[in-house]
Amino acid sequence: ATKAPAANGGTKTEAKEITLGFSQVGAESGWRSANTKSIQDSAKEAGYTLKFSDAQQKQENQIKALRSFIQQKVDVISFSPVVESGWDTVLKEAKAAGIPVVLTDRAVDSKDTSLYVTFLGSDFVEEGRKAGEWLSEQYKDASEDVNIVELQGTTGSAPANDRMSGFAEVIKGNPHLKVIASQTGDFTRAKGKEVMQAFLKANKDIDVLYAHNDDMALGAIQAIEAAGLKPGEDIKIISVDAVKDGMQAASEGKINFIVECNPLLGPQLMQVVQDVVDGKPVEARIVTEESTFTSEQAKEALPSRQY
Ligand code: GYE
């Protein structure tokens, strides 16, 4: 009797089962939840064994997770580094163990780029520039100072560093655009609200809020409304990410402009992992495609928004 063919068709040589160790930043934002889901779904789809670890926004937890992946001899390690600095030692350990490392979402500042295969993620400097360009255009005819407050992401993280510098680089073209206060809100709603409350207390005349992500903007909106002001009108708001809740607020006119940052990195990541395992060449930098949304554009895009 003939045997049933193998599930994979049986013609090709058995594909090696891949184990991927992934260390995630945490669960701080809507962006992060969408990113986690994308990675988990795509790993499943690809048939990989995923060892997933949540670092709760702490570098020490990530370093522990990476060491545990090394000990378990996973095939590939991937992680989204919570901050940029301080990775050389553990990355050298992975290299010594012969385990390739793929960075996703956030970058590291290691000088030795042989410590990882590639960095897959957004160009955060460009995101900051896009925010600055929109603002500069809005206030191009300003004859008085425009007071801007900034809610930074997690201190020392690539998106906080880069979104700040890209924005600053562009707005310095107009001397009326002044950042009068800038503080971290750690990418969370709760902190965004708390810091915005403090900003409102300390500054009489805030014209613009630039938040490094939607969640902080959403927290800040609560503080602005509680102070009896209208978000989007009394204080113009720019944020980054374009997750559903942010797009909702934008469609209601509470956020004026959102720079998109795509969290759906899973499919591209699994492809990179496969190529690395197969010994195929991989680009040293893979940048994700992104756009921007005004309130009107957010209203149009909202019904089909996946995350
Ligand atoms: O913008 C923010 C999240 O690293 C791009 O992290 C990511 C950022 C994202 O907490 O919402």
Side-chain angles (χ1 to χ4, degrees):
T2 46
K3 277 194 182 158
N8 65 3
T11 46
K12 279 190 205 153
T13 43
E14 280 280 317
K16 181 181 173 303
E17 218 180 86
I18 296 173
T19 300
L20 170 65
F22 186 84
S23 166
Q24 180 60 292
V25 168
E28 73 283 4
S29 65
W31 191 100
R32 190 62 55 198
S33 310
N35 180 247
T36 293
K37 184 169 187 308
S38 170
I39 288 162
Q40 289 173 334
D41 289 353
S42 322
K44 198 164 180 199
E45 176 104 340
Y48 302 167
T49 302
L50 177 67
K51 295 187 183 289
F52 184 90
S53 173
D54 176 339
Q56 303 185 331
Q57 298 235 71
K58 291 206 178 76
Q59 180 172 36
E60 49 179 293
N61 292 344
Q62 274 195 310
I63 292 176
K64 267 188 216 152
L66 300 188
R67 292 207 165 116
S68 141
F69 295 149
I70 295 170
Q71 249 173 13
Q72 296 173 64
K73 299 190 168 59
V74 299
D75 298 300
V76 178
I77 289 175
S78 179
F79 75 118
S80 172
V82 56
V83 291
E84 281 189 285
S85 313
W87 297 104
D88 285 43
T89 306
V90 70
L91 289 178
K92 277 180 194 151
E93 290 167 21
K95 191 177 179 183
I99 302 175
V101 175
V102 176
L103 302 178
T104 77
D105 164 31
R106 296 186 183 177
V108 298
D109 65 2
S110 303
K111 293 278 168 300
D112 181 359
T113 54
S114 80
L115 295 176
Y116 54 91
V117 184
T118 183
F119 166 41
L120 159 68
S122 310
D123 181 339
F124 301 131
V125 177
E126 191 51 35
E127 291 172 352
R129 286 192 194 116
K130 286 179 188 167
E133 276 155 16
W134 181 83
L135 191 69
S136 300
E137 178 57 31
Q138 296 300 303
Y139 290 97
K140 63 173 189 288
D141 300 322
S143 52
E144 281 173 38
D145 282 356
V146 177
N147 293 332
I148 305 163
V149 296
E150 180 174 24
L151 281 169
Q152 301 172 24
T154 301
T155 304
S157 70
N161 292 342
D162 296 354
R163 287 172 187 167
M164 194 164 152
S165 66
F167 182 76
E169 174 198 310
V170 170
I171 65 160
K172 75 167 185 253
N174 179 345
H176 282 306
L177 299 178
K178 291 211 165 108
V179 178
I180 56 166
S182 182
Q183 256 188 60
T184 183
D186 215 12
F187 281 131
T188 67
R189 267 183 217 210
K191 269 293 195 75
K193 182 177 177 185
E194 192 183 305
V195 177
M196 190 68 208
Q197 263 161 1
F199 282 166
L200 286 163
K201 233 183 190 171
N203 305 281
K204 285 265 147 313
D205 193 15
I206 300 172
D207 299 304
V208 175
L209 163 67
Y210 169 43
H212 289 184
N213 79 344
D214 290 342
D215 283 86
M216 291 190 295
L218 292 162
I221 285 171
Q222 293 174 20
I224 292 168
E225 287 176 338
L229 296 169
K230 273 203 151 181
E233 285 180 34
D234 297 325
I235 299 179
K236 301 265 182 252
I237 302 181
I238 309 170
S239 70
V240 186
D241 275 357
V243 293
K244 216 170 202 157
D245 290 353
M247 293 288 272
Q248 178 67 44
S251 73
E252 291 163 9
K254 295 182 177 182
I255 297 179
N256 306 82
F257 191 68
I258 305 188
V259 177
E260 183 182 38
C261 181
N262 185 3
L264 306 181
L265 304 178
Q268 269 176 299
L269 172 60
M270 299 315 145
Q271 186 57 53
V272 169
V273 167
Q274 186 69 58
D275 290 347
V276 168
V277 169
D278 292 346
K280 288 190 188 151
V282 171
E283 297 280 339
R285 174 77 173 101
I286 305 168
V287 185
T288 43
E289 298 251 322
E290 280 144 9
S291 69
T292 61
F293 301 93
T294 59
S295 298
E296 279 309 307
Q297 291 163 333
K299 208 178 270 175
E300 263 170 54
L302 190 59
S304 59
R305 208 68 189 156
Q306 298 295 310
Y307 53 88

